[in-house]
Amino acid sequence: MVALGSAALFGLSTPLAKILVGTVSPLLLAGLLYAGSGLGLSLVLVGRRLWTPRESSISLPRRGEWLWLAGAIFFGGVAGPAALMYGLVSSAASTASLLLNLEAVFTALLAWFLFRENFDRRIMLGMFTIVAGGALLVWTPGEQSEASFGLVLIALACFCWAIDNNLTRKVSTSDAMLVAGLKGLVAGAVNVGLALLVGQTLPPLGVLSLAMAVGFVGYGVSLVMFVLALRHLGTARTAAYFSVAPFFGAAFAVLLQGDTVTFRLIAAGLLMAAGVWLHLTEQHGHRHSHERLEHAHTHSHDGHHQHSHDTAWDGREPHTHRHVHVPLTHAHPHYPDVHHRHPH
């Protein structure tokens, strides 16, 4: 459910960003969206810490994971949003929303062939149908090259976010709100700083507030849910669930901005919907072995968490602390989550 919630919030943010592109420069808007995300999540994080001082625990990335997080911030928070905002300048919001499904394809390809995440033919077929839908949207015979270039920029944003997704998976056991908040603060500061450096000025207070509010919900809260989904589903499966986002965005764009419902838009949507369905109905289970693993994340005592506590524990769940998984062999349905990254 967190993956679908993340998809819905991000999908609805794209048509709203399209409206703001008309009043705020793309680079500055990208910065404001992430700044709103980072500032909002920082306030929530502080509030959580003050409200529940005993139960609240922040799991920080380990020393070797900070480099992964830095790469995720650059590709997902700096390069990706800037490419998307410039692409939206010359693209219809409904078309752009559906084209964002390419993020799932790029994410899965990197996860499968670079990071060695497991996949099967059903998942591969689903990705092919999503690619077909994206290709149908990009194909623009007789239209101006500027519009096509806008779609290329949106595809580039999807590739940047695909890199971001795979790198973020490396730190998905860390506090999701902390990871998302850091990405928002750093990426927002960089893009806003670059925009001001080239002579752009901040918009009126009303537009500024709206942009940061859209960023907090559509980027910040959405990203927190996405990191949680990465922890439990793995990269490619989370991306598949997240690919529902463009359908929320496209429907909202048609209702909000009156974008034309074309045959190509409907056909592309059906192809992408078929791909999403193939992903959501995939099942995977076999006998597998867990090696010894030590990490920290929010958890409850289930089949994979039967450890003792070195310090006093009041019995509350879920809770966060560093714990050890002993070697274990068993069989059950599972996803390639943080506990199931075994070879096949």
Side-chain angles (χ1 to χ4, degrees), residues 25 28 35 38 50 54 64 97 117 120 124 150 156 175 178 206 245 265 281-282 307-308 325 340:
S25 69
L28 180 58
L50 294 175
R54 291 185 58 190
S97 294
E117 185 172 297
D120 56 26
M124 179 67 79
L156 177 61
D175 191 284
L178 174 69
L265 186 65
T281 54
E282 179 254 355
H307 50 262
S308 59
H325 295 267
H340 296 90

Side-chain angles (χ1 to χ4, degrees), residues 22-248:
T23 57
V24 184
S25 69
L27 182 60
L28 180 58
L29 179 57
L32 292 177
L33 289 170
Y34 266 94
S37 164
L39 290 174
L41 290 177
S42 297
L43 292 175
V44 175
L45 196 60
V46 171
R48 189 187 74 181
R49 186 67 177 176
L50 294 175
W51 187 261
T52 56
R54 291 185 58 190
E55 293 78 9
S56 177
S57 180
I58 298 177
S59 178
L60 297 173
R62 290 178 292 181
R63 180 179 300 179
E65 295 176 344
W66 284 101
L67 186 59
W68 298 117
L69 181 56
I73 290 173
F74 172 75
F75 286 103
V78 179
L84 175 63
M85 294 306 110
Y86 278 107
L88 286 175
V89 172
S90 56
S91 306
S94 55
T95 302
S97 294
L98 285 176
L99 190 61
L100 289 175
N101 251 323
L102 291 179
E103 179 187 343
V105 179
F106 294 146
T107 296
L109 291 176
L110 289 175
W112 296 338
F113 298 109
L114 186 60
F115 293 93
R116 304 299 181 184
E117 185 172 297
N118 175 68
F119 69 97
D120 56 26
R121 284 179 292 182
R122 184 184 186 88
I123 293 294
M124 179 67 79
L125 179 59
M127 283 302 174
F128 273 128
T129 60
I130 294 174
V131 169
L136 185 60
L137 288 177
V138 175
W139 183 55
T140 54
E143 295 187 14
Q144 296 180 356
S145 58
E146 181 185 5
S148 297
F149 183 65
L151 297 181
V152 170
L153 287 176
I154 295 172
L156 177 61
C158 292
F159 186 71
C160 289
W161 280 323
I163 298 175
D164 167 26
N165 294 339
N166 280 278
L167 297 182
T168 300
R169 185 199 185 193
K170 297 286 189 177
V171 296
S172 60
T173 56
S174 303
D175 191 284
M177 196 172 296
L178 174 69
V179 170
L182 283 174
K183 182 180 293 186
L185 289 175
V186 176
V190 170
N191 279 333
V192 170
L194 288 175
L196 296 178
L197 189 63
V198 298
Q200 299 174 14
T201 58
L202 293 175
L205 182 60
V207 176
L208 179 67
S209 301
L210 178 59
M212 297 187 75
V214 171
F216 170 63
V217 177
Y219 285 65
V221 179
S222 174
L223 182 55
V224 171
M225 299 172 112
F226 188 86
V227 174
L228 292 174
L230 283 175
R231 183 185 302 169
H232 297 292
L233 298 176
T235 312
R237 273 78 173 176
T238 298
Y241 279 87
F242 193 75
S243 61
V244 176
F247 296 100
F248 288 103

Side-chain angles (χ1 to χ4, degrees), residues 322-339:
R322 183 160 291 279
H323 55 277
V324 175
H325 295 267
V326 298
L328 173 68
T329 298
H330 60 179
H332 63 91
H334 61 275
Y335 294 102
D337 57 23
V338 294
H339 301 110

Side-chain angles (χ1 to χ4, degrees), residues 273-289:
V276 171
W277 176 79
L278 286 169
H279 276 269
L280 299 183
T281 54
E282 179 254 355
Q283 294 183 350
H284 179 77
H286 60 93
R287 189 170 183 80
H288 56 277
S289 297

